[in-house]
């Protein structure tokens, strides 16, 4: 999508580190409007998930550079290997990594 980038990652657990990293995906979103729409589609007003994890990949966390100084610093400094410019968007949703892609799931179901 031209409005976001999705990367596979490993959640090392931060201060709650476990012996086994958890596979996740990080969806980086360029525009605040798209981030807000994504979160409203996923969550009720009270913050609870809108849909069952059986049908929609649950989000584990979200980050906004305008509300999280640590994430804002990362946005300013992170560069992928070989890049000439900082490219980390201001908004991010972290989700569990599925066992298969959407295309694989559609073909299997």
């Amino acid at each position: 999508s031209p409005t976001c980038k999705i990367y596979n990652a490993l959640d090392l657990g931060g201060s709650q580190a476990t012996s086994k990293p958890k596979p996740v995906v990080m969806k980086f979103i360029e525009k605040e409007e798209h981030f807000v729409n994504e979160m409203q589609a996923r969550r009720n007003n009270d913050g609870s998930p809108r849909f069952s994890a059986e049908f929609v990949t649950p989000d584990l966390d979200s980050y906004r550079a305008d509300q999280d100084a640590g994430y804002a610093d990362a946005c300013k400094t992170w560069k992928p290997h070989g890049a000439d410019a900082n490219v980390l968007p201001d908004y991010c949703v972290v989700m569990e990594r599925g066992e298969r892609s959407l295309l694989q799931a559609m073909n299997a179901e």
Side-chain angles (χ1 to χ4, degrees):
S1 163
T3 63
C4 68
K5 295 183 183 344
I6 299 175
Y7 296 97
N8 288 323
L10 291 174
D11 182 352
L12 302 177
S15 62
Q16 298 130 16
T18 62
S19 59
K20 185 175 180 183
K22 181 178 186 170
V24 297
V25 293
M26 299 179 75
K27 182 175 186 177
F28 293 100
I29 303 170
E30 297 284 341
K31 296 184 179 183
E32 180 181 22
E33 176 185 3
H34 297 171
F35 173 79
V36 169
N37 289 341
E38 173 92 16
M39 296 311 295
Q40 286 177 342
R42 293 178 161 280
R43 299 250 165 215
N44 293 311
N45 289 337
D46 65 1
S48 63
R50 187 176 295 272
F51 303 104
S52 165
E54 181 180 357
F55 302 109
V56 176
T57 303
D59 59 284
L60 303 173
D61 213 339
S62 62
Y63 299 93
R64 297 175 56 125
D66 61 344
Q67 295 179 2
D68 183 327
Y71 181 68
D73 287 343
C75 289
K76 294 174 192 169
T77 59
W78 183 82
K79 291 183 190 178
H81 181 71
D84 292 331
N86 299 344
V87 295
L88 197 59
D90 286 347
Y91 308 96
C92 179
V93 180
V94 181
M95 297 171 274
E96 292 180 5
R97 187 185 314 166
E99 294 181 17
R100 53 190 177 175
S101 71
L102 179 59
L103 178 61
Q104 291 168 324
M106 289 171 52
N107 288 335
E109 300 299 323

